[in-house]
Amino acid sequence: MAAILPPAMLGILGGGQLGRMFVTAAKRMGYRVTVLDPDANAPAAEFADVHLCAAFDDAEALATLARSCAAVTTEFENVNADAMRLLAKTTRVSPSGDCVAIAQDRIAEKSWINKAGLPTAPYLAIESVEDIQVELSPYLPGILKTARLGYDGKGQVRVKTADEARAAYANLGGQACVLEKMLDLKLEVSAIVTRTSPAQVAVFPVSENIHKNGILDESIVPARIAPKLAACAQQYAKQLAEALDYVGVLAVEFFVLGDDSLVVNEIAPRPHNSGHYTIDACVTDQYQQQVRAMCGLLPGKTDLLSPVVMVNLLGDVWGEDGSEPNWAVLMEAPNAHLHSYGKKQARPGRKMAHYCVLAANVDDALEQARALKDTL
Ligand code: ADP
Ligand code: MG
C-alpha cells in the first residue's frame, strides 16, 4: 500500500496526554489530525485540527473518522476493539482491533505471551467461580487482577491465602480475573517496539521503571542492568510484535527477578509512559514511530542521544486549590524539559505533566531530576 504523506488527515481514538504528544508529533511533520474523545477538555484537542467530541462507540463520529482520515490509530487501550474493526473496513487502522483486544484482556494477553514462547508470572485464569475452586498454592501469595480495565494498579488485590483469594474474587463481583503469583522483583523495565508494514522492527533503549503506589514515578535510561539483559528484553519485545503480526507501537513491561531472568508483565498497544523520554533523548520518538507505522512508512532510528531520567508529576504536586506547582527552578534548568498536559483539573494520582533531565550519565541525571522535584 502506498505510504500516507503530509498533509494527510490522521485520526486518533482518545485525546489524553498520549494523544496530545501524538498530535504534536504528527503536526510537526505537517499532517493534520482528528481526535475522537468525549471530554470537551481532552488534552489532545488543544492541538488537533478537528475534535470529535463524542463517545468512542458513537456511530456518527466513527463514520466521520473513517471518511475523513487516511489512517486511524489509538492512544487508549480500552477503546472499543469492535469500533476499530469497523473503521478498518473503510480506512487504514493500526494496531489492529484484534491486537488491541488481546492487550485489553489479561487472560488473552498472558496466553499470547506464553504462545510467543515468553515467560509470564505463574497465573490462573479465572473466568467463573469454578475456576477458583482448584489448588491455589502455586499462585500464592499472589495478586488478583481483574482481566479487564485495570490500570495504574487499579483493579488489583493482594492476597495471601486461598480463602482471601476467593473472598477477593467474590468482592470483585465475579468478573473475569487472573490470580498471579507475587514475584520478588529486583527491578522493572520496559521495551517499546515499533513494527511497520512492510515488516520492519525497531526497539527503543530499555527503560528502568520505578513505580510508587502502582503508578510509574521515574524512568531511567539506559536501564541499570547488564547489556545482555537489556538486549534480551528488546529481543522479547520484537518476538512478541512478530507473534502478534503487530503494526504500530507496542510497549512491553517486564519484571527482572533476583536471578536476572526476565518475565513479561503486560503489554500496551500504544506508546507508553515509560517511553516519554524518547521525545527528548532519542533520534526518533515513540509518537513519530506511531505516525510512521500508521502511514506505512518504515520505523525511524531509535538511538539514545543522551542518558535521561523522566519524572512523572501527578496531581498531588498541584495545590489543593488547583494552583500550579512552582515551576521556576525547573524552567531555568538548562538540561530539563517540561511537558505539561494542559489538564484543567488536578486530582491526586492523575498524571498532569512530566519532565526529562538529560545528563552525561544516569546517576547525575537521577540526582538532578530528584533535586528538581523537591523544588516544585
Ligand atoms: P497496571 O495495568 O495497573 O499497570 P500491572 O500488572 O502492571 O498493572 O501491575 C502494577 C504494578 O504492580 C507493577 O508495575 C508491579 O510493580 C506490581 N506487580 C504486578 N504484578 C506483580 C507480580 N506478579 N509480582 C510482583 N509485583 C507485581
Ligand atoms: Mg503496568
Side-chain angles (χ1 to χ4, degrees), residues 55-221:
F56 292 118
D57 57 357
D58 184 283
E60 204 177 313
L62 290 170
T64 305
L65 211 57
R67 197 173 53 242
S68 60
C69 296
V72 176
T73 188
T74 178
E75 62 112 44
F76 171 56
E77 69 205 82
N78 289 317
V79 67
N80 189 322
D82 283 333
M84 295 191 69
R85 293 184 184 108
L86 183 77
L87 285 169
K89 291 190 175 160
T90 45
T91 188
R92 269 156 77 157
V93 174
S94 65
S96 68
D98 290 351
C99 285
V100 169
I102 290 166
Q104 281 173 354
D105 181 336
R106 290 190 197 276
I107 297 174
E109 178 181 61
K110 287 183 194 298
S111 84
W112 265 95
I113 293 166
N114 292 155
K115 232 193 288 179
L118 307 180
T120 53
Y123 75 96
L124 175 72
I126 307 164
E127 281 170 298
S128 71
V129 70
E130 288 81 57
D131 294 335
I132 201 168
Q133 306 311 322
V134 296
E135 180 57 45
L136 297 181
S137 54
Y139 318 105
L140 293 172
I143 309 185
L144 187 72
K145 302 181 179 178
T146 60
R148 303 183 73 85
L149 298 174
Y151 70 99
D152 288 346
K154 293 186 175 65
Q156 300 191 6
V157 190
R158 299 189 173 206
V159 292
K160 289 206 182 72
T161 64
D163 285 346
E164 270 178 38
R166 292 187 183 113
Y169 173 72
N171 262 335
L172 287 168
Q175 59 181 310
C177 287
V178 295
L179 176 62
E180 203 179 301
K181 188 169 175 62
M182 180 73 103
L183 301 175
D184 198 4
L185 312 185
K186 189 159 146 189
L187 277 180
E188 293 188 63
V189 299
S190 56
I192 297 172
V193 58
T194 308
R195 188 166 178 274
T196 56
S197 165
Q200 218 182 75
V201 179
V203 198
F204 284 108
V206 172
S207 165
E208 173 184 339
N209 302 321
I210 300 179
H211 295 84
K212 259 190 202 151
N213 303 319
I215 307 178
L216 183 65
D217 183 40
E218 294 169 334
S219 285
I220 301 166
V221 189

Side-chain angles (χ1 to χ4, degrees), residues 134-343:
V134 296
E135 180 57 45
L136 297 181
S137 54
Y139 318 105
L140 293 172
I143 309 185
L144 187 72
K145 302 181 179 178
T146 60
R148 303 183 73 85
L149 298 174
Y151 70 99
D152 288 346
K154 293 186 175 65
Q156 300 191 6
V157 190
R158 299 189 173 206
V159 292
K160 289 206 182 72
T161 64
D163 285 346
E164 270 178 38
R166 292 187 183 113
Y169 173 72
N171 262 335
L172 287 168
Q175 59 181 310
C177 287
V178 295
L179 176 62
E180 203 179 301
K181 188 169 175 62
M182 180 73 103
L183 301 175
D184 198 4
L185 312 185
K186 189 159 146 189
L187 277 180
E188 293 188 63
V189 299
S190 56
I192 297 172
V193 58
T194 308
R195 188 166 178 274
T196 56
S197 165
Q200 218 182 75
V201 179
V203 198
F204 284 108
V206 172
S207 165
E208 173 184 339
N209 302 321
I210 300 179
H211 295 84
K212 259 190 202 151
N213 303 319
I215 307 178
L216 183 65
D217 183 40
E218 294 169 334
S219 285
I220 301 166
V221 189
R224 295 169 297 179
I225 56 175
K228 219 172 110 188
L229 195 60
C232 179
Q234 290 180 312
Q235 178 53 37
Y236 280 6
K238 284 186 190 173
Q239 214 170 309
L240 210 47
E242 294 291 348
L244 292 166
D245 193 19
Y246 192 87
V247 176
V249 175
L250 178 73
V252 185
E253 295 180 14
F254 297 93
F255 297 144
V256 180
L257 306 185
D259 61 357
D260 273 345
S261 63
L262 280 176
V263 165
V264 180
N265 172 27
E266 61 171 352
I267 61 174
R270 50 166 174 77
H272 193 259
N273 196 164
S274 68
H276 290 351
Y277 81 85
T278 59
I279 298 176
D280 298 312
C282 287
V283 173
T284 310
D285 70 54
Q286 62 173 348
Y287 303 98
Q288 294 170 319
Q289 298 288 51
Q290 189 176 18
V291 172
R292 285 167 167 272
M294 75 191 290
C295 290
L297 300 161
L298 298 177
K301 281 176 75 71
T302 53
D303 308 51
L304 188 68
L305 299 172
S306 163
V308 56
V309 167
M310 188 236 34
V311 176
N312 260 350
L313 295 175
L314 306 180
D316 312 60
V317 189
W318 267 244
E320 271 174 31
D321 56 351
S323 57
E324 296 270 326
N326 178 9
W327 297 122
V329 176
L330 178 60
M331 287 306 292
E332 290 202 358
N335 56 340
H337 297 268
L338 175 65
H339 300 253
S340 191
Y341 310 145
K343 293 185 182 176

Side-chain angles (χ1 to χ4, degrees), residues 13-35:
L13 298 164
Q17 63 268 19
L18 303 177
R20 179 178 172 102
M21 288 181 263
F22 167 85
V23 173
T24 328
K27 293 288 297 174
R28 261 195 330 252
M29 292 180 230
Y31 291 97
R32 290 167 297 142
V33 186
T34 300
V35 170

